Amino acid sequence: MSSGEFLTLFLWIHWLLTCCSGALATTEPSKTSPTTLKKTDFNSIESKFSLRTLEEPDDDTCYLVPGQEHTVDQCNFNHTSKTFVVIHGWTVTGMFESWVPKLVDALYKREPDSNVIVVDWLTRAQQHYPVSAEYTQLVGQDVASFIDWMDDTIQYPIDNIHILGYSLGAHAAGVAGSLTNKKVNRITGLDPAGPTFEYAENAIILSPDDAEFVDVLHTYTRGSPDRSIGIQKPVGHIDIYPNGGSFQPGCNLGEALRLIAEKGFGDVDQLVKCSHERSIHLFIDSLLYEEKPSMAYRCNSKEAFEKGLCLSCRKNRCNTLGYKVNKVRGKRSTKMYLKTRAQMPFKVFHYQVKVHFFAKKNLTVTDQPFLVSLYGTQGESVNMPITIPEISTNKTYSYLIYTELDIGDLLMLKIKWEKDSYFSWSDWFTAYLFNIQKIRVKSGEFQKKLVFCSKEGNFASLQRGKEPVVFVKCNEHAKKKQE
Ligand SMILES: *[C@@H]1O[C@H](CO)[C@@H](O)[C@H](O)[C@H]1NC(C)=O
Ligand SMILES: *[C@@H]1O[C@H](CO)[C@@H](O)[C@H](O)[C@H]1NC(C)=O
Ligand SMILES: *[C@@H]1O[C@H](CO)[C@@H](O)[C@H](O)[C@H]1NC(C)=O
């Protein structure tokens, strides 16, 4: 069992223990359409709307109360600037999780004049999971009533509202968006919850018609549909699956154990949600590191992306992850992919490497370890380990590699074929050798294509366990030859 599977299992045991004893009878989502329940006895609103401040991002110092107009001025709500509405998810402790003030703080740092409102539905969010999941409809109604009230009484333009919902909060945001008199500007779904929602009707989950623009980050979709923590299917105009969406780097068991050793078991809950919560930190990253925007690329499948086949930016095929997303609305949801680092800043630089292998003798090898080094005008990224699934004589392959550093314009490329860790008799009889004439490299971030030629001659011979082969830009290579 891999560490990721372990964590998923762990989380499910955790959920079963805390959530479902005796409550399973109520798991079916209500069949009542939320519209029929709507409005507008303000007394029935249970959710609270806290206007947070940059000075005290983790304190509820002032609530906007629907029906009580004076609270708007009391809280120093800025009528002319935009408003963020943050909706949290399910909670074991009944308290705000530590990401809430972090997100509030990042929103204010990026948009100092904005209003950041945190929706407090903690009481309903603290129930057995299926109960809380159903409450998202009521929370959505509360938020919609609140927004319509802002529109009706102080003529606050709904077009200035951006709702951010995490986990169950993403579906609450969707319900809210579907009920408001006019459409809100944007809803960002941060790893919308999966269980009980994967197959639910659009009215009770986040969907593209809930706002002018809906963007979604999927970060913890490992497992079978409806069992995975995050919803697997696309639910917005743009659905981004960082690192394939199933699991995030830095969230493995080793990391978890290290954190437990450091911080004790108190934070286990936080650890288990590492990949789930990564969606929020990716968004925070996009707010704080304006100069390091992560790029995502449209692709039909995770597998094609892993081969580096989807690094094009033509016709909106690439987009910026997070706050500065380019609001492209297609007829259908657009699935996009990218790799990230394990911590902030998350940005990496993607490259497609295309290689034709040739040799006199036929040879096919699988799962071979290679070390790739890239050298550029601004830096280098050396000995990046990659495992190549298959190489066969006289075939062309495409791979995705990525660097954490911006190395500038690529100048040189080095490849080393490592020996398998175990000793094999076949090494004595087989010549593990492939020749390479050219390597084509395409960069996603810079949208540049380059061709590299062997530094030594017409072609380079890549041999298992031997010296690395070196490639330089072809034209320079030609120039040198002339000198
Ligand atoms: C309200 O926001 C606007 C920008 O949208 C800004 O110019 C103004 O100073 C803000 N007002 C207050 C009282 O902060
Ligand atoms: C691969 O292609 C080259 C050139 O087309 C040819 O000379 C060589 O014999 C081929 N190798 C095999 C194993 O067929
Ligand atoms: C290599 O394999 C290909 C296809 O499997 C075959 O057509 C070719 O003749 C082989 N070449 C040699 C040199 O064995």
Side-chain angles (χ1 to χ4, degrees):
M1 188 160 65
S2 76
S3 52
E5 283 164 342
F6 172 82
L7 281 181
T8 309
L9 182 73
F10 181 91
L11 182 55
W12 275 101
I13 293 170
H14 186 76
W15 272 13
L16 288 172
L17 289 179
T18 52
C19 87
C20 302
S21 42
L24 287 169
T26 59
T27 56
E28 274 300 295
S30 152
K31 293 285 180 282
T32 344
S33 162
T35 14
T36 59
L37 295 169
K38 204 187 160 188
K39 90 155 167 198
T40 332
D41 176 9
F42 291 133
N43 291 328
S44 71
I45 296 178
E46 275 188 32
S47 311
K48 289 184 280 182
F49 304 92
S50 166
L51 181 55
R52 298 265 177 121
T53 59
L54 177 60
E55 294 72 34
E56 294 177 82
D58 49 0
D59 267 335
D60 295 315
T61 51
C62 199
Y63 291 103
L64 299 168
V65 185
Q68 298 182 29
E69 210 176 319
H70 66 276
T71 57
V72 175
D73 289 330
Q74 221 167 48
C75 295
N76 296 319
F77 182 86
N78 188 328
H79 293 240
T80 54
S81 48
K82 61 176 82 178
T83 295
F84 299 101
V85 178
V86 177
I87 311 182
H88 62 81
W90 189 62
T91 161
V92 181
T93 59
M95 294 188 294
F96 283 118
E97 292 175 318
S98 55
W99 61 263
V100 175
K102 288 181 191 152
L103 178 57
V104 170
D105 181 69
L107 287 164
Y108 276 128
K109 283 209 170 111
R110 184 64 177 265
E111 299 287 355
D113 287 324
S114 69
N115 309 291
V116 181
I117 295 169
V118 173
V119 178
D120 173 349
W121 64 287
L122 290 169
T123 325
R124 286 164 167 173
Q126 197 191 357
Q127 311 300 315
H128 305 306
Y129 175 81
V131 177
S132 292
E134 203 172 327
Y135 273 139
T136 55
Q137 292 178 56
L138 294 177
V139 176
Q141 287 168 39
D142 286 356
V143 174
S145 301
F146 169 72
I147 289 173
D148 284 343
W149 169 70
M150 298 283 282
D151 177 33
D152 293 342
T153 56
I154 65 163
Q155 282 79 49
Y156 184 76
I158 290 187
D159 192 39
N160 263 353
I161 296 180
H162 179 175
I163 310 179
L164 300 113
Y166 167 58
S167 193
L168 286 182
H171 298 304
V175 172
S178 66
L179 296 178
T180 48
N181 294 339
K182 292 171 223 151
K183 276 193 185 182
V184 296
N185 182 279
R186 177 173 172 191
I187 295 177
T188 299
L190 301 168
D191 211 23
T196 76
F197 292 100
E198 192 79 50
Y199 301 116
E201 55 184 307
N202 269 3
I204 66 164
I205 67 169
L206 181 59
S207 61
D209 18 85
D210 296 336
E212 291 297 337
F213 180 72
V214 178
D215 61 315
V216 184
L217 295 177
H218 300 262
T219 51
Y220 198 16
T221 61
R222 171 174 282 173
S224 55
D226 213 41
R227 283 280 173 275
S228 79
I229 307 299
I231 200 164
Q232 296 181 352
K233 69 176 175 189
V235 291
H237 293 103
I238 291 195
D239 285 71
I240 300 180
Y241 296 78
N243 303 295
S246 58
F247 192 73
Q248 300 305 312
C251 293
N252 52 17
L253 182 58
E255 194 71 9
L257 290 175
R258 192 182 62 74
L259 277 169
I260 288 172
E262 235 169 59
K263 300 184 173 174
F265 271 93
D267 271 345
V268 161
D269 196 58
Q270 229 45 45
L271 290 174
V272 167
K273 281 182 299 198
C274 179
S275 283
H276 197 31
E277 210 182 290
R278 181 62 57 83
S279 54
I280 299 169
H281 298 287
L282 284 164
F283 198 89
I284 291 176
D285 179 69
S286 77
L287 291 163
L288 296 181
Y289 294 91
E290 194 174 351
E291 75 293 353
K292 291 185 180 169
S294 287
M295 298 304 295
Y297 303 87
R298 191 168 98 195
C299 205
N300 288 332
S301 74
K302 179 153 100 172
E303 291 71 28
F305 185 74
E306 292 289 338
K307 287 185 185 159
L309 298 175
C310 302
L311 297 183
S312 167
C313 281
R314 287 173 52 229
K315 296 185 180 166
N316 294 318
R317 280 196 183 87
C318 73
N319 208 327
T320 312
L321 179 149
Y323 188 52
K324 273 293 159 197
V325 66
N326 182 11
K327 296 177 178 170
V328 182
R329 298 173 199 81
K331 280 196 199 95
R332 282 189 285 150
S333 301
T334 301
K335 286 176 111 176
M336 305 187 105
Y337 297 85
L338 77 156
K339 295 283 183 183
T340 74
R341 281 161 39 90
Q343 57 266 312
M344 244 181 247
F346 289 106
K347 183 185 181 67
V348 301
F349 298 82
H350 301 80
Y351 297 90
Q352 176 194 19
V353 176
K354 227 163 112 183
V355 191
H356 182 78
F357 296 96
F358 68 101
K360 286 223 178 69
K361 283 193 180 153
N362 273 337
L363 175 66
T364 296
V365 291
T366 54
D367 293 327
Q368 294 298 304
F370 286 82
L371 293 177
V372 178
S373 303
L374 300 182
Y375 301 82
T377 48
Q378 287 178 35
E380 56 196 51
S381 187
V382 297
N383 294 337
M384 296 179 281
I386 63 167
T387 302
I388 294 190
E390 189 203 82
I391 305 176
S392 267
T393 309
N394 285 3
K395 279 194 178 167
T396 304
Y397 292 89
S398 172
Y399 309 103
L400 176 72
I401 58 174
Y402 56 97
T403 61
E404 300 200 347
L405 277 178
D406 175 4
I407 59 169
D409 289 332
L410 257 189
L411 298 172
M412 187 169 79
L413 202 147
K414 232 186 237 185
I415 306 177
K416 183 169 166 37
W417 186 359
E418 297 215 284
K419 260 201 157 73
D420 279 329
S421 49
Y422 56 87
F423 177 80
S424 163
W425 282 107
S426 65
D427 284 13
W428 290 82
F429 309 117
T430 318
Y432 283 97
L433 178 149
F434 289 108
N435 298 315
I436 301 170
Q437 194 176 18
K438 283 177 181 169
I439 298 182
R440 282 164 213 283
V441 181
K442 177 178 172 180
S443 108
E445 277 61 28
F446 307 112
Q447 291 293 297
K448 275 190 192 157
K449 286 182 184 174
L450 288 172
V451 186
F452 289 81
C453 291
S454 166
K455 198 180 172 198
E456 304 303 335
N458 233 341
F459 61 85
S461 296
L462 182 61
Q463 275 183 276
R464 182 149 90 175
K466 297 281 164 57
E467 287 301 295
V469 290
V470 182
F471 292 82
V472 292
K473 279 201 282 188
C474 284
N475 44 359
E476 279 179 17
H477 169 72
K479 245 187 273 164
K480 275 210 184 97
K481 261 190 167 175
Q482 281 166 8
E483 278 165 13

